[in-house]
C-alpha cells in the first residue's frame, strides 16, 4: 500500500468547507492507502496565538477528526513527534532562501499581518513553514499528499527538497511526494456566496460541523440567494451554493426534484433551504454524537491519541536514524 500523509491546522471549529474539501476524502483514502493524518500544531505557532487556546484547539481538532471517521491508528499530533523539527532543520539547508521568498502563502500571511499593523512582526517560523511541511511529508516517505490547490506550491517545494537532498547525498533516499487533488465540491459562504466558506471571514460565513442544529437552520434560512448582479438566465451564486450543498450531502433525489422546479421557474427558495438544512442536520448529527461520546471519555481518548502518536513516532525516528547516517551526524545513544 502506498503512503499518504496530510495535515490540518488546529484552527478551532471545523466547518462544512473543511469537511467536504478535505476530511471526508481523508476518511475514504484510509481503505486504499497507508494513511497518516496530523494535527499540525507546530504550524499554528507561526502566526500570533494564545497558548491555552492552541492546546485546547489541538485536542479538539484531533477529537473532531476521530468523530468524522479518521481512524485512531492513522491520527497523530505533530508536536508529539518532535523528529519533524529535527528533519526540518536538516532540510532547511536544502531549501534556498530565494525559493522560500516566492511562496505565495508566506506573502499572503505577511500581508494579512501587515493589514492590521504595518510594522507587524513576521516570524522566521512563518518564513520557514514550508520546510517544516516538507519534513512532515518526507519523514514518512509519503507518495501522496491530499491537499487543496492552495498547497500546490508547497508540495512542489517538498519535491524539490527531496530531489536536492537525494542529489546532494548521491542516494535515492526521499520519495518525491505527489499532490492528490480530488474533485471536491466548492462550498461558499452562506452570508456572502461570492467568497469561499472560511473561518477567517467571521462566524456567519461558515457552517460549523459540530454546531447547534438551531444555528445551522437559521444560517441556511438566512443564506443569501440573490445578490442582484446575476446575469439574466443564470443561477445566482447563492442558489448554486445551496444546490451544491445538497449534492455534497448526497441528497440527489431532493436535489434533482428541486432542480426541476428551478428549471420550470417554480422553485421556492424556502423549499430549497428546508431541504438543505435537513441534509446538513442529517449529515452532522452522527458526527456530533460521536464527538459527545469522545468528550464523555476525554481523558482516555487523549491517552489513545498519545499512544497512536508514539507509535507513528517510531517511523519518524527510524527515518531520522537514517538521515543522521546519510548527512554526517553522529549516531544517538539508544
Ligand atoms: N500547510 C497546510 C495548510 O495550510 C497544512 C499542512 C502542514 C500540511 N503540514 C502538512 C498539509 C503536510 C499536507 C501535508 O493547509
Amino acid at each position: 500500500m502506498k503512503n499518504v500523509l496530510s495535515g490540518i491546522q488546529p484552527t478551532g471549529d471545523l466547518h462544512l468547507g473543511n469537511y467536504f474539501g478535505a476530511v471526508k476524502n481523508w476518511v475514504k483514502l484510509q481503505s486504499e492507502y497507508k494513511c497518516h493524518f496530523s494535527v499540525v500544531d507546530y504550524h499554528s505557532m507561526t502566526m500570533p496565538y494564545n497558548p491555552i487556546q492552541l492546546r485546547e484547539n489541538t485536542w479538539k481538532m484531533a477529537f473532531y477528526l476521530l468523530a468524522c471517521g479518521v481512524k485512531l491508528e492513522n491520527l497523530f499530533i505533530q508536536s508529539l513527534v518532535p523528529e519533524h523539527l529535527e528533519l526540518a532543520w536538516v532540510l532547511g539547508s536544502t531549501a534556498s532562501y530565494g525559493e522560500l521568498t516566492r511562496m505565495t502563502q508566506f506573502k499572503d500571511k505577511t500581508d494579512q499581518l501587515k493589514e492590521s499593523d504595518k510594522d507587524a512582526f513576521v516570524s522566521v517560523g512563518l518564513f520557514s513553514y514550508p520546510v517544516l511541511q516538507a519534513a512532515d511529508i518526507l519523514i514518512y516517505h509519503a507518495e501522496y499528499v491530499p491537499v487543496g490547490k492552495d498547497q500546490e506550491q508547497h508540495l512542489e517545494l517538498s519535491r524539490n527538497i527531496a530531489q536536492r537532498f537525494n542529489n546532494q547525498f548521491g542516494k535515492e533516499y526521499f520519495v518525491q511526494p505527489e499532490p492528490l487533488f480530488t474533485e471536491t465540491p466548492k462550498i461558499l459562504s452562506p452570508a456572502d456566496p461570492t467568497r469561499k466558506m472560511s473561518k477567517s471571514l467571521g462566524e456567519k460565513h461558515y457552517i460549523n460541523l459540530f454546531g447547534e442544529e438551531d444555528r445551522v437552520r437559521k444560517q441556511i434560512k438566512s443564506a443569501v440567494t440573490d445578490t442582484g448582479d446575476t446575469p439574466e438566465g443564470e443561477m445566482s451564486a447563492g442558489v448554486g451554493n445551496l444546490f451544491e450543498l445538497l449534492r455534497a450531502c448526497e441528497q440527489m433525489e431532493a436535489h434533482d426534484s428541486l432542480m426541476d422546479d428551478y428549471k420550470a421557474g417554480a422553485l421556492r427558495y424556502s423549499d430549497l433551504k428546508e431541504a438543505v438544512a435537513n441534509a446538513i442536520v442529517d449529515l452532522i448529527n452522527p458526527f456530533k454524537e460521536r464527538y459527545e461520546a469522545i468528550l464523555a471519555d476525554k481523558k482516555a481518548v487523549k491517552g489513545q491519541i498519545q499512544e497512536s502518536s508514539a507509535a507513528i513516532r517510531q517511523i519518524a525516528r527510524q527515518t531520522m536514524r537514517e538521515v543522521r547516517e546519510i548527512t554526517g551526524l553522529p549516531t544517538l545513544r539508544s
Side-chain angles (χ1 to χ4, degrees):
M1 262 204 237
K2 299 240 180 190
N3 275 332
V4 157
L5 178 127
S6 200
I8 188 163
Q9 287 203 34
T11 47
D13 290 338
L14 193 65
H15 60 65
L16 282 181
N18 303 135
Y19 177 71
F20 290 123
V23 180
K24 186 181 180 187
N25 188 33
W26 289 10
V27 172
K28 213 172 84 200
L29 290 170
Q30 295 179 117
S31 52
E32 292 164 58
Y33 299 96
K34 177 79 209 99
C35 292
H36 295 110
F37 298 122
S38 183
V39 179
V40 292
D41 51 349
Y42 281 143
H43 277 99
S44 293
M45 301 172 90
T46 58
M47 292 287 269
Y49 73 97
N50 168 307
I52 293 171
Q53 244 169 30
L54 175 63
R55 187 176 297 122
E56 211 176 273
N57 286 344
T58 298
W59 286 116
K60 202 159 86 173
M61 185 57 81
F63 296 162
Y64 283 160
L65 293 175
L66 287 178
C68 288
V70 169
K71 290 188 192 148
L72 181 64
E73 68 263 30
N74 297 339
L75 178 67
F76 71 104
I77 291 175
Q78 184 188 32
S79 71
L80 295 181
V81 186
E83 283 73 15
H84 286 225
L85 289 186
E86 194 184 352
L87 182 59
W89 180 259
V90 173
L91 299 181
S93 299
T94 302
S96 78
Y97 174 81
E99 226 166 14
L100 288 183
T101 58
R102 288 192 292 275
M103 294 291 125
T104 55
Q105 187 171 314
F106 172 66
K107 288 188 219 163
D108 291 347
K109 290 201 172 172
T110 305
D111 290 347
Q112 197 183 317
L113 286 169
K114 300 219 159 149
E115 218 168 82
S116 46
D117 171 10
K118 68 174 178 30
D119 301 317
F121 182 84
V122 178
S123 69
V124 171
L126 188 60
F127 183 70
S128 61
Y129 175 115
V131 178
L132 178 56
Q133 183 165 348
D136 295 341
I137 299 165
L138 301 186
I139 207 163
Y140 301 104
H141 308 287
E143 277 96 354
Y144 297 114
V145 184
V147 280
K149 285 275 178 199
D150 64 320
Q151 294 298 314
E152 195 168 11
Q153 204 186 19
H154 287 166
L155 248 288
E156 172 141 20
L157 178 78
S158 300
R159 277 202 301 282
N160 288 341
I161 288 178
Q163 187 173 36
R164 216 172 286 141
F165 182 99
N166 293 348
N167 288 343
Q168 186 183 349
F169 298 101
K171 197 174 159 93
E172 278 305 304
Y173 182 67
F174 282 124
V175 173
Q176 286 186 49
E178 295 290 332
L180 202 63
F181 299 126
T182 21
E183 260 317 306
T184 52
K186 211 170 128 212
I187 308 296
L188 308 171
S189 155
D192 179 1
T194 63
R195 310 171 77 167
K196 228 174 87 174
M197 182 173 287
S198 154
K199 270 201 63 182
S200 53
L201 295 174
E203 287 213 326
K204 59 178 183 174
H205 292 281
Y206 68 91
I207 295 168
N208 185 355
L209 203 60
F210 295 86
E212 291 299 324
E213 175 170 342
D214 269 4
R215 180 166 162 72
V216 172
R217 291 194 182 276
K218 274 198 197 108
Q219 274 183 297
I220 295 299
K221 209 172 234 168
S222 57
V224 173
T225 45
D226 287 316
T227 37
D229 51 4
T230 311
E232 264 301 301
E234 259 181 48
M235 187 182 277
S236 75
V239 175
N241 192 39
L242 292 171
F243 275 111
E244 186 70 10
L245 280 166
L246 273 184
R247 236 190 327 262
C249 292
E250 296 169 31
Q251 297 290 327
M252 289 320 286
E253 220 170 289
H255 173 278
D256 292 351
S257 107
L258 289 158
M259 188 60 89
D260 287 343
D261 292 349
Y262 174 81
K263 285 182 183 148
L267 176 68
R268 288 191 359 212
Y269 288 159
S270 57
D271 291 344
L272 175 61
K273 286 178 169 181
E274 165 101 12
V276 171
N278 289 339
I280 295 174
V281 167
D282 287 348
L283 172 80
I284 70 178
N285 269 342
F287 298 155
K288 283 167 57 179
E289 270 169 38
R290 265 177 271 164
Y291 181 64
E292 290 305 321
I294 289 169
L295 285 190
D297 204 13
K298 199 163 155 178
K299 220 171 140 198
V301 179
K302 275 189 184 179
Q304 289 168 345
I305 295 168
Q306 282 166 326
E307 266 172 43
S308 68
S309 301
I312 288 169
R313 187 177 180 194
Q314 293 309 319
I315 305 170
R317 293 179 89 154
Q318 180 56 30
T319 302
M320 279 319 300
R321 275 193 283 273
E322 292 162 4
V323 167
R324 294 183 76 97
E325 179 68 34
I326 293 168
T327 58
L329 296 168
T331 315
L332 283 171
R333 231 179 105 180
S334 48

